[in-house]
Amino acid sequence: MNSDELLDKIIALAVSLGKAEESDLLRTLCAAAAEELTALLRPGLTVDDCGGAFPLAAAWMALGALQTAGGDDVERLTAGDVTIQRSDSAQRRAALRLQAQQVMKPYLKDESFLFRGVAGW
């Protein structure tokens, strides 16, 4: 699949999963998510090796970024008798990013901390 087809697939997934509208901002965020994931792939793996996991993960990452760009972090707003309260969008963003990482886990570099003993100790 070429990069334009991949980007179109990521955008379509983001629109569907996030009930978002296709826009220049969403396209930019999807492209950025794809670039970020590509850079995190294990050596020797390509986007095509990841199958459907790659576009799904990129769509989730883009949706998380879209929430940040939307600035909907209002937690509580009261005006007279009317109160608007939203759940913590930072948690939603983190959850979307975690979902993306989990689905891509078999394909991503292991960046976990590893402690090894030192010879002679």
Side-chain angles (χ1 to χ4, degrees):
M1 173 180 322
N2 71 40
S3 61
D4 288 335
E5 292 172 336
L6 176 62
L7 183 56
D8 289 342
K9 186 170 187 169
I10 295 168
I11 292 168
L13 279 168
V15 167
S16 178
L17 291 169
K19 297 181 178 102
E21 291 186 27
E22 190 170 336
S23 65
D24 289 338
L25 176 59
L26 183 61
R27 176 172 284 278
T28 300
L29 294 173
C30 286
E35 285 181 32
E36 181 180 349
L37 280 176
T38 300
L40 293 173
L41 289 176
R42 288 185 180 179
L45 290 181
T46 66
V47 170
D48 291 333
D49 295 329
C50 304
F54 189 94
L56 179 61
W60 278 333
M61 288 175 67
L63 287 171
L66 186 63
Q67 287 182 359
T68 301
D72 66 352
D73 287 342
V74 173
E75 192 158 317
R76 185 178 188 104
L77 172 67
T78 302
D81 294 334
V82 177
T83 300
I84 298 172
Q85 184 172 356
R86 294 186 179 157
S87 62
D88 186 11
S89 63
Q91 288 179 340
R92 289 187 304 233
R93 288 190 301 271
L96 287 168
R97 190 159 185 88
L98 180 61
Q99 282 178 289
Q101 291 171 341
Q102 289 301 316
V103 78
M104 286 295 293
K105 192 173 186 172
Y107 309 104
L108 299 181
K109 297 174 195 168
D110 184 11
E111 295 186 346
S112 300
F113 177 79
L114 175 64
F115 181 83
R116 291 190 177 181
V118 177
W121 285 89

